[in-house]
Amino acid sequence: MEAIRPPSFPAANRDIIRVLFKPSALYLASLGLSISLVGVLGMALLIQTWWGMGMAGQNNASFWGTYIVTFVFWVGIGHAGTLISAILFLVRSKWRTGVYRASEAMTVFAVMTAGLFPVLHLGRLWQVYWFFPYPNQRYLWVNFKSPLMWDVFAISTYLTVSTVFFFIGLIPDFAIVRDHNKGLIAKIYNLAAFGWRGTNRQWHHYMAAYGFFAAFAAPLVLSVHSVVSWDFAMAVTAGWHSTIFPPYFVAGAIFSGCAMVITLLLPMSYLFGWKDYVNEWHYDALAKMCLLTSAILTYAYAMEYFIGWYSQNPHEWEIFRWRAVGEYAWAFWLMVFCNCVAPLPWYIPKLRTNPWVLWTIAGLINVGMWMERFNIVVSSTAHSFDPAMWRMYAPTLLEVCILLGSAGWFFMWFLLFAKTMPAVAITEIKEQIEPPLKGSLEAK
Amino acid sequence: MSPAPDMNPVIDAVPNRTLPMPLLAGTGAAILIGIGAFGFAAGTGQWEWAWGAVLVGLVFSLGLSMGGVIFAVILSLSKAHWGRPVKRVAEAFGAYLPVGWVLLLAFLLLGNGLYPWNPETFIAGGAVDLEPHSDFSIRTKPIWLSLPFFIGRQLGGTLLLFGLAHAFIYTSLRPDLIRASARLGDKAPGWWSMITGSSTDWQAEMAKSEKRQQAIGILVAVCYSLIFSMLAFDLIMSLSPWWYTNMFGAWFFVSSVWISLAMLTIYVLIAKEWLGISSFITRSVTHDLGKLLLAFCMFWAYTTFAQILPIWYGQMPEETDFFLVRMFELTDTIPAGDAPWYVLTQIVGVMCFLLPFTALLSRGIKKMKWPLISVCTIILIGIFLERSLLVYGSVHLEKSFPIINLIVIGGGVTIGFVGLFLLAVSAALAAVPALNVADPKMAPHPWDAHIHSLDAPGAH
């Protein structure tokens, strides 16, 4: 399998920059649809704020519902970007080059999307600043002992570092875009590139900063979703109080994130004609990453069941039994199918590079990972210790609108990114191709 | 692809390689110390200490052995170039597996009284922590905690895993032996033909071997995670039959790979001249091994913290008791004594995380022979103490910290196991090429060329 195959330095500039700024009809339609969905989200939010939280389907037992399911889902999606850009950079894995920019953008937008949900779930939106500790005359502080507060800090740190890392990587590429444009556009990109000239001194500082941020961001890959998992694991609720949750959530996040990278990049690389930059080599590696994390998830599911049984704790065992055979069994088995069974065809090498198979399985994984969070969040609260408190939960139309609207919000940002920033790292691509030699045609 | 290195000197060294006298004397002495320590504990009637030490030695040495094979599997599955110079040594760690299996059999047949759920347990009073949860746990798990099923699944599971591990090693070894036989001719050891058969085309064999290693490697990795989890749950966790944590299996099998990497680093740094692979064990290789050791160190700390935090936060007695005994000075709570294990817990924290983490942050230490060996030794002792804490903490409530027994019996028996392990590994390495001589990935990857250039004279 070949790695990156761009013909030359000028071709790399041309191919990646030419897709910027000029929207096709398909692009405009996609953007219009995404913005419409954001409008739906806005309307749903307005209705919920006006009429109150009763418009959503939560009840006294299932107090979190799809808002927290979708929150965890989007935080998970935001994981692969930093893994691909920071950890694979540190381990000198070259296949990251073609895909890391889009993955980083996906991370930033996914975390921005996730951030909507605690606010949506708050009901009283205007009190959102209560999430943050701030000095006040009433000496009121947030509850630092609550894992939900740990989440606020973990995710805001992650968003900050991911965004900074994303923009640092873009600096030399912004300069290339600037050099290929004139007038106001060149001025804007010059500002974004911090006046980058590509001198030895600038490259020296740039590489040092990039390595530093990569090392700084790498532990966040583990910490963020571990803290998210503790939202559940710290509670003594059956099915939540589990020590394996942190690594299991991290593996699940990487799994869903890599699947989302395939979902986004596959059509993008075909539409933009980027087969020389993002190709079978990258999809093969992403599919292998999904296979590894799928195996870890399958192991974690199995261990949860085994220890649920081994513990002989009646509450613990009941929730695991009920998940498999109770009213939400469809969600459980859909999760098992999508996360444990559907990726198995990728053990056949040819199927890791077939675009249809790749896109179908990646889509199934996205569904499966949402279902996994549904299983965890909804089933444990709907079927808790006291049978008198058992309440089934189903999302209302308003929640479905908010779920779809969040997807619209995410895709809107991603589409805007694809037309304003180089979605493949031009400078790093050039590091992997032969430099133009003196006297050669390309050098001229 | 960079040019393939010259493998002929590595092949030519095999017929003349014998086990060095210091190694024979050292491992022999270690085995005798192990037998002596077990004999001392048994002779003084301290059966919990005697079999507890055997259990610690077993889980430690089986982890060392299987961890090496898993590292070789990881190199194979990830198609990594950087670690190829140590792949054969990692594979040779598997030579101890048959010996370990026999010792496991002996433990399961003779030392099963260590388990408090066994009606014939030799722990005085049944078990230190039978109340209030264990009775319920034992009653409700009559099949899982029955002796025949317990012994059967350990032996069957390990037989399957070790068999697959040896199939992987065989597959990796075959093309190397074919190439070495072709060069050595009559000088090649006779038993090699049992592996090579009549094949002489080592390049064609290598192409097949790579595919087979990938296929078998996946099976080994899957079985390793499941069967080593079972060993952790059964051999260690069931010593406190009421206690459970679903991370325990993963925690155990990942730290087993970690100690194996530490032992691998020590072994290649000390034995590289004897093995004739000095020119391959470059500073970039030891630097990369050091980085991997650091990553595992952080992962160990992460999983340990992630395991303790929800249990501490949840405050459920059936979960917290296990940690209370090991983490706090419980003079008033436990009538049997002072529960002095918290001292050991603190030592484990320092040796498994603080010291190696701080040391391995340094680039220099990762590249220097003796400092890196020292850090690896600390890791090995740290994990030995961690395993001791898990085992002895469940079967003893001492009135004071049992430092003599821990060193003399616990340390002595584990030294015996490590001696046996080193003897098996060295005997295997003495008989085969110490590198994967037929493997095209022995050549550095072009993308790593600048890293390898750091090893050039005058580069530092």
Side-chain angles (χ1 to χ4, degrees):
Chain A
M1 199 170 298
E2 281 185 80
I4 291 171
R5 308 174 291 228
S8 64
F9 273 38
N13 286 350
R14 186 187 58 230
D15 292 346
I16 296 167
I17 293 174
R18 78 177 150 73
V19 301
L20 297 178
F21 310 124
K22 294 167 196 156
S24 63
L26 182 62
Y27 174 85
L28 286 175
S30 307
L31 187 64
L33 179 65
S34 302
I35 293 173
S36 307
L37 286 172
V38 175
V40 171
L41 170 71
M43 282 302 293
L45 182 57
L46 196 66
I47 292 168
Q48 181 184 278
T49 310
W50 188 259
W51 296 104
M53 286 299 286
M55 296 300 291
Q58 290 99 336
N59 53 49
N60 282 346
S62 294
F63 43 84
W64 277 356
T66 52
Y67 288 157
I68 301 304
V69 171
T70 316
F71 161 74
V72 181
F73 173 77
W74 283 114
V75 177
I77 295 293
H79 249 67
T82 313
L83 173 98
I84 290 170
S85 60
I87 293 186
L88 296 186
F89 173 78
L90 294 175
V91 299
R92 309 197 293 267
S93 186
K94 297 291 179 186
W95 67 266
R96 71 182 270 285
T97 307
V99 297
Y100 89 86
R101 176 66 50 72
S103 311
E104 278 180 354
M106 182 192 80
T107 288
V108 174
F109 305 140
V111 178
M112 278 165 55
T113 312
L116 295 174
F117 283 89
V119 183
L120 290 166
H121 194 234
L122 199 64
R124 296 170 182 169
L125 307 178
W126 51 93
Q127 286 171 348
V128 67
Y129 66 96
W130 284 14
F131 278 148
F132 301 98
Y134 64 97
N136 60 77
Q137 70 276 28
R138 291 175 298 162
Y139 299 107
L140 285 175
W141 286 99
V142 292
N143 181 8
F144 288 108
K145 289 182 195 167
S146 164
L148 302 182
M149 283 321 301
W150 308 346
D151 238 5
V152 172
F153 295 111
I155 291 175
S156 50
T157 308
Y158 187 61
L159 180 62
T160 310
V161 173
S162 303
T163 309
V164 171
F165 195 49
F166 175 53
F167 278 104
I168 285 181
L170 273 164
I171 288 173
D173 286 0
F174 276 149
I176 296 172
V177 180
R178 174 199 63 197
D179 296 341
H180 281 72
N181 285 283
K182 290 176 184 166
L184 184 63
I185 292 178
K187 280 182 183 165
I188 292 170
Y189 279 91
N190 188 44
L191 206 64
F194 295 105
W196 177 266
R197 285 286 171 267
T199 61
N200 270 356
R201 187 182 162 82
Q202 283 181 336
W203 273 112
H204 178 76
H205 287 301
Y206 173 82
M207 291 311 289
Y210 199 80
F212 170 78
F213 272 103
F216 193 67
L220 291 176
V221 177
L222 285 184
S223 73
V224 177
H225 229 53
S226 297
V227 174
V228 171
S229 81
W230 287 332
D231 289 350
F232 308 100
M234 293 299 159
V236 290
T237 307
W240 283 7
H241 188 63
S242 168
T243 52
I244 208 170
F245 261 25
Y248 150 37
F249 267 55
V250 171
I254 294 168
F255 181 52
S256 63
C258 287
M260 187 60 96
V261 173
I262 295 174
T263 307
L264 293 173
L265 267 179
L266 200 62
M268 194 168 153
S269 64
Y270 276 88
L271 285 175
F272 290 168
W274 281 349
K275 279 216 71 177
D276 286 341
Y277 306 92
V278 187
N279 53 40
E280 301 86 9
W281 186 46
H282 303 94
Y283 298 128
D284 182 71
L286 283 164
K288 282 179 182 167
M289 192 76 93
C290 287
L291 276 177
L292 172 68
T293 43
S294 164
I296 296 173
L297 279 192
T298 308
Y299 171 86
Y301 297 159
M303 286 305 120
E304 279 200 303
Y305 265 80
F306 171 70
I307 291 294
W309 170 79
Y310 177 86
S311 71
Q312 292 293 322
N313 179 326
H315 307 290
E316 196 73 15
W317 182 234
E318 169 57 18
I319 194 69
F320 284 111
R321 188 201 64 79
W322 188 72
R323 278 181 189 173
V325 299
E327 284 86 340
Y328 291 128
W330 60 272
F332 174 82
W333 290 109
L334 189 55
M335 170 194 87
V336 170
F337 173 74
C338 291
N339 296 347
C340 309
V341 181
L344 293 179
W346 277 341
Y347 276 103
I348 301 165
K350 274 186 185 169
L351 299 182
R352 292 199 293 267
T353 51
N354 179 309
W356 293 108
V357 175
L358 274 166
W359 212 65
T360 307
I361 294 179
L364 285 172
I365 292 171
N366 291 326
V367 173
M369 286 309 295
W370 193 88
M371 282 299 160
E372 182 198 285
R373 279 63 179 253
F374 183 87
N375 260 290
I376 294 169
V377 174
V378 173
S379 70
S380 281
T381 47
H383 198 76
S384 192
F385 295 103
D386 183 1
M389 278 301 291
W390 289 352
R391 298 277 189 284
M392 292 300 290
Y393 163 82
T396 60
L397 181 63
L398 181 123
E399 285 168 287
V400 174
C401 287
I402 285 180
L403 173 64
L404 292 175
S406 75
W409 168 265
F410 171 80
F411 283 109
M412 177 189 77
W413 286 109
F414 197 83
L415 287 166
L416 289 173
F417 152 79
K419 281 290 167 192
T420 51
M421 301 178 194
V424 174
I426 306 171
T427 43
E428 288 202 33
I429 287 283
K430 288 177 182 172
E431 287 174 13
Q432 292 184 17
I433 52 182
E434 286 292 319
L437 298 171
K438 190 179 176 186
S440 71
L441 194 62
E442 288 294 351
K444 287 171 186 170
Chain B
M1 190 70 70
S2 306
D6 183 11
M7 291 294 173
N8 290 338
V10 178
I11 297 170
D12 295 341
V14 180
N16 304 322
R17 192 183 298 139
T18 53
L19 288 174
M21 193 46 74
L23 184 117
L24 282 172
T27 52
I31 294 165
L32 287 177
I33 288 171
I35 295 169
F38 180 81
F40 168 72
T44 51
Q46 302 181 78
W47 287 106
E48 314 96 278
W49 273 103
W51 287 111
V54 170
L55 177 57
V56 171
L58 258 179
V59 293
F60 187 80
S61 57
L62 287 176
L64 280 179
S65 185
M66 207 47 230
V69 181
I70 284 296
F71 180 58
V73 166
I74 292 169
L75 287 174
S76 183
L77 290 179
S78 63
K79 299 178 183 169
H81 285 241
W82 71 269
R84 296 283 156 162
V86 298
K87 184 167 177 255
R88 174 53 36 79
V89 179
E91 287 165 353
F93 279 19
Y96 171 77
L97 291 175
V99 184
W101 192 84
V102 173
L103 293 168
L104 178 68
L105 174 69
F107 169 76
L108 290 170
L109 294 179
L110 303 172
N112 56 52
L114 189 67
Y115 292 91
W117 46 262
N118 181 353
E120 314 231 335
T121 181
F122 44 62
I123 296 175
V128 286
D129 12 63
L130 264 179
E131 298 298 335
H133 320 292
S134 287
D135 282 340
F136 172 78
S137 299
I138 295 166
R139 267 191 287 109
T140 51
K141 286 177 255 194
I143 298 171
W144 189 259
L145 293 182
S146 70
L147 211 50
F149 186 39
F150 178 81
I151 294 175
R153 64 178 181 263
Q154 313 311 317
L155 292 178
T158 47
L159 199 62
L160 171 70
L161 175 64
F162 299 169
L164 281 169
H166 273 261
F168 175 84
I169 296 166
Y170 169 86
T171 310
S172 171
L173 192 60
R174 190 173 143 82
D176 297 332
L177 293 191
I178 293 171
R179 181 178 179 180
S181 296
R183 176 162 175 85
L184 292 175
D186 294 341
K187 286 186 192 169
W191 65 270
W192 283 9
S193 60
M194 289 163 59
I195 293 177
T196 58
S198 56
S199 178
T200 53
D201 186 355
W202 60 269
Q203 280 160 320
E205 198 60 41
M206 187 64 223
K208 278 190 229 163
S209 168
E210 274 193 286
K211 284 185 183 165
R212 284 181 194 155
Q213 282 183 59
Q214 301 258 324
I216 300 171
I218 291 170
L219 289 176
V220 175
V222 170
C223 285
Y224 173 72
S225 64
L226 293 176
I227 290 165
F228 259 57
S229 295
M230 181 187 75
L231 292 181
F233 293 138
D234 280 348
L235 294 181
I236 304 175
M237 204 168 85
S238 82
L239 286 167
S240 297
W242 83 94
W243 188 67
Y244 54 88
T245 157
N246 49 23
M247 176 110 92
F248 199 74
W251 190 47
F252 175 71
F253 73 68
V254 173
S255 61
S256 293
V257 179
W258 186 32
I259 53 171
S260 196
L261 272 175
M263 182 60 94
L264 180 71
T265 307
I266 296 175
Y267 196 95
V268 293
L269 284 174
I270 291 179
K272 61 184 178 180
E273 276 86 19
W274 172 61
L275 295 171
I277 57 172
S278 299
S279 58
F280 293 88
I281 308 300
T282 59
R283 278 199 283 183
S284 64
V285 172
T286 52
H287 188 197
D288 285 338
L289 281 170
K291 284 191 264 189
L292 206 49
L293 284 165
L294 175 64
F296 270 96
C297 174
M298 290 193 283
F299 193 76
W300 179 89
Y302 163 68
T303 48
T304 306
F305 180 70
Q307 193 156 223
I308 292 173
L309 187 68
I311 290 175
W312 169 76
Y313 201 97
Q315 281 277 39
M316 298 209 286
E318 69 266 35
E319 290 182 348
T320 51
D321 279 7
F322 187 87
F323 286 111
L324 287 175
V325 170
R326 288 163 176 82
M327 293 178 80
F328 299 101
E329 196 176 9
L330 301 169
T331 314
D332 301 328
T333 320
I334 296 179
D338 293 343
W341 298 109
Y342 72 97
V343 179
L344 192 55
T345 303
Q346 290 167 2
I347 296 171
V348 167
V350 170
M351 297 192 75
C352 290
F353 179 65
L354 278 182
L355 284 178
F357 176 74
T358 313
L360 288 172
L361 284 177
S362 154
R363 185 182 299 176
I365 286 178
K366 291 197 281 274
K367 289 182 173 181
M368 289 187 285
K369 181 177 175 180
W370 290 108
L372 189 56
I373 287 176
S374 307
V375 175
C376 291
T377 310
I378 289 170
I379 293 168
L380 288 171
I381 296 172
I383 292 292
F384 155 69
L385 292 175
E386 182 234 70
R387 306 286 195 252
S388 301
L389 182 67
L390 295 173
V391 170
Y392 302 134
S394 289
V395 295
H396 296 284
L397 272 184
E398 304 287 334
K399 289 196 188 323
S400 58
F401 186 59
I403 186 136
I404 305 294
N405 274 0
L406 188 65
I407 293 172
V408 174
I409 302 173
V413 170
T414 298
I415 285 173
F417 274 95
V418 173
L420 208 51
F421 167 80
L422 289 174
L423 188 62
V425 172
S426 304
L429 281 170
V432 296
L435 292 175
N436 296 70
V437 291
D439 189 347
K441 291 194 177 60
M442 282 299 300
H445 197 282
W447 285 337
D448 290 338
H450 67 289
I451 307 282
H452 289 269
S453 69
L454 295 175
D455 289 307
H460 295 276

